[in-house]
């Protein structure tokens, strides 16, 4: 039935699948373009590793504890998001969908709080963005990821409101027009999911390349 | 911080007004007067409402395409005038300061390059692809019509920043590539580089989104039976260009964003001290910059392919080889960026690798040239304006390609790098390559878009003036480059340069006349539109699907979606007597409603860019909030499409078929006569 492997619109009809196809495919293409952006920021960081210009280096600035908590928060957030999509697929009701979306949001915010605290701590130790090439590259890479997470959180909030306004299940709605709106919410939640998991993958790269490598090298 | 600082940032009367040279003042006045004239005319003829509701908020790919081309032509005018000013300066600045202050001259070469690449060439090809590609693949629109409008809004916002920079403050003097450390705060503390950063960033984001949109459209919206290898070649080049945009625009975004961090947050990416590394910028910039060259040229190659085939009345020779050559060029374009900086300290072996990779690109390009020549071989050739451009392209582009191969040799590059030899080379590929292609595309698809043909005589005049102007303006630069004249020279002291700079200035004058001729071409054609109407929609005995509908096409493009059984489907239909059939049944067609999101995001982009440039933070934040709010609000809009009922489609289609029945088919001898009403004699020639 589904011509697109990334698509799990539960009981949607052929038309809904056909309409979702370019949307999801287009979003994958966008993520590819976004990945190029991160790849270049990683490359910039790699060329600037060790360029401390006499300032503090990773050993003085990075702390494994908060970074590990951030990693756990973000990965658990992805898990919660995965639960949300399963709830949506098997139509277990709006409450559970909102619960899991809320959990994902909360964990995303935990991640952001720890990250901001990290940044503030680094500034306090004299490791601001203007201190050295390496720190500039660090803040560009980690900051861009953080900015993505921020927008992702905002997006989750918007989607929670949309679930309340439009519903995310076809059986919530009577007319075909309303069903279409529910389909639209579903594909948006799926695309947000792609985005959210994508940010996990990028974070794993950051955790390994920036934090683990910086603290062991 | 005083209230004044908070409200106006760095913007003061002294810094803002363009009174540093009389010429700058005059230029700013022209922009202001021009803008006022447009406002007055729109008000006088009560066109604001139609402009807003039928054009600016339209999501129809055809209208968006036309708006892109209009934007490109406006920006072309400014950049050509700037080019003429620079050539005039070099003509008189032998042993004399000339008439332009050095700082103003530097702004001119920066804006000329920035505009020509980002606000002339990119919008031009985006507009042409937007118009023609969906029609050629049998689609009703692009995959994401709203995103299309957003891309246009962002690109136009960048262009608006360019125009604002002419009136308020100064533009960058760092060249179109904006190399640090010169563009860092230490050396360019004024707002110039900031204008450049935000204008280019807006354009690069717009182009990334355009690339995604086009690629998805080609992958997902093709008509039934339109296999990839049945697509017209123009669609293949559009696909490759889109893929290049998806991968090559992010490096530009990263480069400008990191430069902005240096300038705004005191970061040390490309600064001299603090561990900055200029080479990072140069690598990032050319990771974008080289694929960009092929983003620009591939769509033009596509146009030429259509033109050679149509005006030789033959199927394209070597279709598959042309497709593979296009793909090979697209892939190779990512492997050669280093040849833009052979002289910047890599080892000889690295240079050799990139030099060889560069020369390799000549092979697929050569394949294309031979394919086009063989397409014409034994064809029934008509020397219509698009074909003239195509022929001029082959002759002159071959020369430009050869000098490219010369430059690809690092040893030679060391001799001529940073001289006007390089300037001659890239103008030699971009004017006969890209610009001729786009002008050919205008002449070729204009009747489809507006329902009447463009004037042939003026079209030929445009061709002659641009060709002669190009040859006179740029061939001397090869000689000058070999004599050692550095590019971007405002004043020189070698008498040997003088004859060549004078010839080049004469060529620039011809190009200026060529620009006026473009205006006359459009103006005369609009005046004579009733003599050249082609309501039947097929003035050139076309081969591909876009010619199978009325001119201009209905909003939904195809009354019934075509079934494709092979290449050049429309020619097949005509030869087999299957064209213009009355379909058994029609169906409801869903088309997107107009939306203000694109223009609003454009306005948000201008606010952000201007606010950031002048450190007016409330304005920048306001722009950002406006854009986020607009997107969120849009996501709650319930009705985004409307239905054209089957009955209405039937009525419109049958009215057109009825008109067709009354038209007399025109032979190819009558192609440019008033008797060509757009119904072609179906004799295969």
């Amino acid at each position: 039935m589904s011509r697109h492997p990334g698509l799990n619109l539960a009981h949607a009809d052929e038309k809904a699948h056909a309409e979702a196809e370019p949307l999801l495919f287009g979003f994958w293409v966008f993520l590819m373009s976004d990945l190029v952006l991160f790849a270049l920021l990683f490359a910039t960081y790699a060329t600037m590793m060790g360029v401390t210009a006499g300032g503090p280096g990773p050993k003085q600035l990075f702390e494994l504890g908060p970074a590990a908590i951030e990693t756990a928060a973000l990965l658990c957030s992805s898990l919660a998001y995965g639960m949300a999509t399963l709830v949506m697929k098997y139509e277990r009701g709006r409450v559970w969908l909102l619960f899991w979306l809320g959990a994902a949001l909360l964990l995303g915010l935990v991640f952001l709080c720890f990250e901001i605290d990290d940044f503030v701590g680094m500034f306090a130790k004299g490791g601001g963005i203007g201190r050295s090439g390496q720190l500039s590259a660090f803040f560009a890479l980690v900051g861009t990821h953080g900015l993505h997470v921020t927008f992702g959180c905002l997006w989750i909030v918007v989607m929670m409101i949309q679930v309340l306004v439009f519903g995310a299940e076809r059986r919530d709605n009577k007319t075909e027009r309303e069903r279409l709106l529910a389909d639209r919410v579903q594909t948006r939640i799926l695309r947000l999911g792609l985005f959210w998991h994508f940010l996990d993958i990028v974070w794993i790269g950051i955790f390994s390349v920036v934090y683990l490598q910086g603290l062991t090298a | 911080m005083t209230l004044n600082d908070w409200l106006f940032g760095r913007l003061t009367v002294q810094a803002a007004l363009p009174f540093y040279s009389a010429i700058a003042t005059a230029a700013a006045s022209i922009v202001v007067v021009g803008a006022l004239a447009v406002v007055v005319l729109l008000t006088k003829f009560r066109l604001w409402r139609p402009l807003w509701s039928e054009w600016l908020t339209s999501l129809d790919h055809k209208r968006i395409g036309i708006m892109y081309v209009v934007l490109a032509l406006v920006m072309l005018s400014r950049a050509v005038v700037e080019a003429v000013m620079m050539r005039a300066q070099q003509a008189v600045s032998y042993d004399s300061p000339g008439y332009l202050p050095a700082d103003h001259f530097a702004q001119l070469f920066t804006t000329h390059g920035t505009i020509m690449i980002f606000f002339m060439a990119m919008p031009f090809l985006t507009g042409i692809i937007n118009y023609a590609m969906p029609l050629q693949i049998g689609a009703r629109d692009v995959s994401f019509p709203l995103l299309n409008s957003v891309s246009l809004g962002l690109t136009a916002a960048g262009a608006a920043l360019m125009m604002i920079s002419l009136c308020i403050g100064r533009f960058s003097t760092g060249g179109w590539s904006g190399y640090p450390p010169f563009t860092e705060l230490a050396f360019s503390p004024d707002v110039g580089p900031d204008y450049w950063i935000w204008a280019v960033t807006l354009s690069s984001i717009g182009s990334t989104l355009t690339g995604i949109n086009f690629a998805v459209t080609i992958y997902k919206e093709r008509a039934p039976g339109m296999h990839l290898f049945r697509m017209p070649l123009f669609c293949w080049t559009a696909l490759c260009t889109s893929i290049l945009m998806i991968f090559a625009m992010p490096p530009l975004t990263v480069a400008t964003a990191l430069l902005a961090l240096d300038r705004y947050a005191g970061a040390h990416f490309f600064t001299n001290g603090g561990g900055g590394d200029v080479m990072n910028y140069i690598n990032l910039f050319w990771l974008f910059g080289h694929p960009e060259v092929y983003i620009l040229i591939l769509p033009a190659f596509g146009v030429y392919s259509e033109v050679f085939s149509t005006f030789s009345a033959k199927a394209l020779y070597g279709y598959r080889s042309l497709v593979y050559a296009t793909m090979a060029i697209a892939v190779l374009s990512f492997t050669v960026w280093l040849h833009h900086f052979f002289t910047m300290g890599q080892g000889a072996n690295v240079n050799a690798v990139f030099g060889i990779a560069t020369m390799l690109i000549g092979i697929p390009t050569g394949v294309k040239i031979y394919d086009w020549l063989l397409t014409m071989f034994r064809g029934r050739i008509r020397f219509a304006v698009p074909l003239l451009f195509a022929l001029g392209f082959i002759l002159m582009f071959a020369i430009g390609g050869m000098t490219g191969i010369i430059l690809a040799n690092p040893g030679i590059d060391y001799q001529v790098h940073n001289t006007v030899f390089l300037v001659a080379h890239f103008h030699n590929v971009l004017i006969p390559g890209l610009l001729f292609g786009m002008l050919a595309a205008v002449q070729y698809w204009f009747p489809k878009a507006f329902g009447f043909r463009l004037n042939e005589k003026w079209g030929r005049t445009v061709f002659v003036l641009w060709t002669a102007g190009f040859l006179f303006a740029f061939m001397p630069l090869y000689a000058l480059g070999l004599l050692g004249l550095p590019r971007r020279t405002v004043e020189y002291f070698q008498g040997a340069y003088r004859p060549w700079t004078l010839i080049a200035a004469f060529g620039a004058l011809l190009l200026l006349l060529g620009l006026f001729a473009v205006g006359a071409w459009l103006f005369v054609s609009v005046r004579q539109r009733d003599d050249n109407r082609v309501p039947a929609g097929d003035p050139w005995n076309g081969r591909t699907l876009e010619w199978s509908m009325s001119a201009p096409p209905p909003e939904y493009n195809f009354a019934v979606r075509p079934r494709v059984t092979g290449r050049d489907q429309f020619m097949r239909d005509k030869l087999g007597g299957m064209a213009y059939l009355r379909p058994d049944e029609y169906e409801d067609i869903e088309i997107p409603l107009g939306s203000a999101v694109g223009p609003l995001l454009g306005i948000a982009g201008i606010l952000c860019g201007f606010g950031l440039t002048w450190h007016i933070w409330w304005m920048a934040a306001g722009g950002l909030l406006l854009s986020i709010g607009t997107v969120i609000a849009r996501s709650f809009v319930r009705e985004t499409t409307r239905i054209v009922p089957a009955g209405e489609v039937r009525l419109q289609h049958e009215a057109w078929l009825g008109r067709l029945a009354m038209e007399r088919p025109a032979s190819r001898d009558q192609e440019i006569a008033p008797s060509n009403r757009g119904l072609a004699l179906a004799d295969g020639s």
Side-chain angles (χ1 to χ4, degrees):
Chain A
M1 160 114 180
S2 167
R3 289 191 294 151
H4 196 282
L7 211 66
N8 54 357
L9 293 168
H11 303 300
D13 53 22
E14 189 66 29
K15 186 165 178 254
H17 280 276
E19 279 183 2
E21 195 168 310
L23 285 172
L24 283 167
F25 177 67
F27 201 77
W28 276 106
V29 177
F30 161 73
L31 288 181
M32 210 157 59
S33 193
D34 214 24
L35 201 57
V36 174
L37 193 126
F38 277 111
L40 293 166
L41 290 173
F42 270 111
T44 306
Y45 184 79
T47 63
M48 295 215 149
M49 251 178 336
V51 185
T52 51
K59 290 231 165 74
Q60 289 87 53
L61 295 171
F62 297 168
E63 287 176 52
L64 199 54
I69 295 173
E70 285 160 40
T71 310
L74 207 59
L75 291 182
C76 290
S77 174
S78 246
L79 182 70
Y81 201 97
M83 293 304 289
T85 42
L86 287 175
V87 167
M88 186 174 79
K89 181 175 180 182
Y90 295 107
E91 307 208 330
R92 293 296 155 89
R94 223 182 260 201
V95 176
W96 280 109
L97 179 54
L98 287 173
F99 171 81
W100 286 116
L101 284 177
L105 172 67
L106 207 65
L107 287 162
L109 291 175
V110 168
F111 168 86
L112 279 177
C113 287
F114 273 90
E115 180 159 77
I116 290 167
D117 186 60
D118 246 11
F119 285 1
V120 172
M122 286 174 68
F123 268 83
K125 284 188 242 171
I129 185 170
R131 184 59 194 86
S132 68
Q134 173 161 14
L135 283 163
S136 299
F138 168 87
F139 281 104
L141 171 61
V142 185
T144 304
H145 177 268
L147 214 57
H148 274 70
V149 175
T150 311
F151 275 97
C153 288
L154 181 62
W155 193 358
I156 296 182
V157 172
V158 172
M159 285 325 298
M160 289 173 73
I161 298 170
Q162 295 212 336
V163 168
L164 286 171
V165 175
F166 299 127
E169 292 176 15
R170 307 197 117 215
R171 64 172 178 208
D172 291 348
N173 298 306
K174 304 280 181 289
T175 67
E176 196 195 346
R177 195 86 215 159
E178 283 176 327
R179 279 198 289 279
L180 271 173
L181 289 170
D183 287 348
R184 214 189 272 170
V185 172
Q186 288 205 354
T187 57
R188 281 176 186 160
I189 288 177
L190 285 176
R191 277 178 282 163
L192 175 52
L194 292 178
F195 185 71
W196 205 239
H197 302 316
F198 163 82
L199 291 180
D200 262 21
I201 296 169
V202 173
W203 178 258
I204 288 171
I206 291 175
F207 187 65
S208 321
V209 171
V210 176
Y211 288 97
L212 292 184
Q213 186 174 220
L215 288 171
T216 54
Chain B
M1 183 186 259
T2 66
L3 180 67
N4 211 32
D5 286 344
W6 192 84
L7 274 178
F8 298 111
R10 290 198 282 176
L11 189 60
T12 60
V13 174
Q14 217 177 357
L17 293 177
F19 294 148
Y20 52 90
S21 93
I23 293 163
T25 315
S29 316
I30 291 172
V31 173
V32 172
V33 170
L36 281 178
V38 171
V39 169
V40 168
L41 286 175
L42 286 172
T43 312
K44 189 177 166 206
F45 293 103
R46 296 171 178 278
L47 291 173
W48 283 105
R49 187 174 290 276
L51 177 73
W52 176 257
S53 58
E54 284 169 40
W55 287 92
L56 296 181
T57 58
S58 169
L59 302 192
D60 181 347
H61 72 95
K62 300 183 287 300
R63 294 195 171 209
I64 290 176
I66 291 166
M67 284 188 280
Y68 263 116
V69 173
V70 170
L71 175 69
L73 289 174
V74 171
M75 299 310 280
L76 172 74
S77 312
R78 173 175 164 192
V80 166
V81 171
E82 289 171 339
V84 174
M85 287 170 70
M86 287 187 283
R87 287 279 145 257
Q89 163 74 10
Q90 286 197 337
V92 297
S93 66
Y94 165 54
D95 228 355
S96 113
Y99 72 103
L100 282 174
D103 175 76
H104 193 193
F105 185 81
Q107 285 187 58
L108 284 176
F109 65 65
T110 308
T111 49
H112 170 80
T114 308
I115 289 176
M116 281 299 197
I117 298 289
F118 296 107
F119 301 108
M120 189 288 285
M122 292 295 273
F124 215 146
L125 68 92
T126 307
I128 299 289
I129 295 176
N130 237 317
Y131 196 91
M133 179 272 287
L135 298 179
Q136 287 197 325
I137 60 172
R140 292 246 156 83
D141 206 323
V142 292
S143 283
F144 312 119
L146 181 69
L147 191 66
N148 205 7
S149 166
V150 170
S151 301
L152 172 65
L154 295 177
T155 308
L161 274 188
M162 295 298 298
M163 298 313 279
I164 291 171
S165 78
L166 198 54
C167 306
I168 303 176
R170 299 171 180 216
F171 200 69
S172 170
T173 51
W176 83 278
S177 48
Y179 273 14
F182 180 75
T183 48
E184 293 282 359
L185 273 185
F187 305 100
S188 300
D190 57 7
V191 294
D194 301 323
Y195 265 128
W196 179 84
I197 286 171
W198 302 118
V200 168
T201 304
L202 284 168
S203 141
S204 73
I205 297 171
S207 297
T208 309
L209 300 179
T210 297
I212 295 172
N213 207 345
F214 286 166
V216 175
T217 303
I218 293 175
Y219 282 123
K220 294 291 178 190
E221 309 292 333
R222 280 168 287 128
M226 178 66 85
H227 307 160
L228 284 172
F229 273 92
R230 289 176 180 171
M231 292 199 302
L233 205 89
F234 179 71
C235 297
W236 270 109
T237 58
L239 177 62
C240 288
T241 282
S242 313
I243 294 173
L244 291 183
M245 284 180 181
I246 293 163
F247 286 103
M249 299 315 290
L252 177 65
T253 314
V254 171
T256 54
L258 298 188
L259 184 60
L261 280 177
D262 274 3
R263 289 181 63 88
Y264 286 81
H268 288 290
F269 287 103
F270 318 122
T271 52
N272 284 351
D277 186 349
V278 154
M279 286 316 293
N280 274 349
Y281 180 90
I282 295 177
N283 274 295
L284 284 171
F285 186 84
W286 291 112
L287 268 175
F288 143 77
H290 201 83
E292 168 73 7
V293 172
Y294 295 96
I295 292 175
L296 298 179
I297 201 67
L298 288 179
F301 284 175
V303 172
Y304 295 127
S305 302
E306 303 297 303
V307 164
F308 277 119
S309 167
T310 303
F311 293 99
S312 307
K314 266 182 72 186
L316 203 54
Y317 180 89
Y319 173 91
R320 271 177 187 271
S321 64
L322 278 165
V323 172
Y324 289 130
T326 307
M327 289 197 269
I329 291 174
V331 171
L332 284 173
S333 74
F334 282 102
T335 66
V336 298
W337 80 94
L338 189 135
H339 71 212
H340 293 272
F341 45 94
F342 276 146
T343 57
M344 292 175 101
Q346 308 73 228
N349 290 342
V350 174
N351 277 356
V353 167
F354 281 87
I356 291 166
T358 305
M359 293 179 201
L360 282 180
I361 295 190
I363 297 171
T365 315
V367 167
K368 289 184 162 228
I369 301 259
Y370 287 115
D371 279 336
W372 290 321
L373 293 177
L374 288 167
T375 301
M376 287 192 293
F377 181 62
R378 289 192 175 160
R380 187 177 163 194
I381 296 171
R382 291 108 62 193
F383 289 99
V385 172
L387 191 75
L388 293 180
F389 278 118
L391 291 172
F393 151 75
I394 285 207
L395 288 170
M396 289 184 280
F397 189 83
I399 298 172
M402 293 301 276
T403 58
I405 302 283
I406 292 171
L407 280 168
N409 182 328
I412 299 176
D413 185 78
Y414 262 80
Q415 288 301 310
V416 292
H417 86 275
N418 213 35
T419 68
V420 289
F421 188 90
L422 171 74
V423 176
H425 161 69
F426 67 69
H427 284 85
N428 196 344
V429 283
L430 284 177
I431 294 177
L434 168 102
L435 192 65
F436 279 22
M438 294 302 113
L439 292 172
V442 168
Q443 174 88 9
Y444 184 61
W445 278 307
F446 189 93
K448 176 52 62 184
F450 293 96
F452 58 95
R453 282 176 287 113
L454 285 172
N455 183 291
E456 285 280 321
K457 277 191 189 140
W458 275 103
R460 280 182 214 144
T461 311
V462 169
F463 167 71
V464 168
L465 282 171
W466 276 90
T467 305
F470 160 73
L471 290 171
F472 277 109
F474 292 101
M475 290 300 149
L477 297 200
Y478 281 123
L480 274 172
L482 291 173
L483 288 171
L485 176 66
R487 68 194 292 200
R488 300 168 176 172
T489 298
V490 65
E491 185 181 356
Y492 55 93
F493 306 96
Q494 277 75 19
Y497 295 160
R498 196 69 201 281
W500 301 109
T501 55
L502 286 173
I503 299 172
F506 171 68
L509 195 66
L510 290 179
L511 289 176
L512 187 64
L513 293 176
L515 179 70
F516 289 136
V518 170
W521 183 35
L522 296 172
F523 180 75
V524 170
S525 305
V526 172
R527 298 262 322 232
Q528 299 174 340
R529 60 189 177 278
D530 286 328
D531 297 336
N532 295 312
R533 292 223 183 259
V534 288
D538 179 23
W540 318 122
N541 198 13
R543 313 179 69 81
T544 41
L545 288 175
E546 77 270 32
W547 305 109
S548 69
M549 62 187 72
S550 64
E555 197 178 354
Y556 43 81
N557 295 352
F558 296 91
V560 283
R561 283 197 85 180
R563 302 232 158 240
V564 179
T565 54
R567 265 173 231 152
D568 292 349
Q569 181 65 31
F570 184 50
M571 185 52 88
R572 278 165 182 269
D573 288 343
K574 284 191 283 189
L575 293 177
M578 303 289 283
Y580 310 122
L581 292 186
R582 206 169 292 260
D584 297 330
E585 55 183 303
Y586 296 84
E587 54 187 26
D588 291 352
I589 297 173
E590 193 176 14
I591 53 174
L593 283 170
S595 163
V597 169
L600 279 176
L601 287 188
I603 291 167
I606 296 175
L607 290 176
C608 262
F610 190 81
L612 285 168
T613 299
W614 289 98
H615 294 202
I616 310 173
W617 308 120
W618 61 266
M619 189 187 279
L624 188 65
L625 288 178
L626 175 62
S627 59
I628 295 172
T630 306
V631 172
I632 292 179
R634 164 74 188 188
S635 72
F636 284 92
V637 174
R638 285 164 186 266
E639 301 288 330
T640 56
T641 58
R642 76 184 168 88
I643 301 287
V644 184
E648 197 180 319
V649 178
R650 170 191 295 276
L651 230 60
Q652 288 178 6
H653 193 235
E654 293 196 341
W656 176 61
L657 287 176
R659 273 181 86 171
L660 271 181
M662 296 194 298
E663 301 290 356
R664 290 176 67 187
S667 73
R668 287 309 94 198
D669 301 329
Q670 301 165 294
E671 194 158 47
I672 57 172
S675 53
N676 178 4
R677 301 269 297 163
L679 186 63
L681 200 60
D683 59 354
S685 63

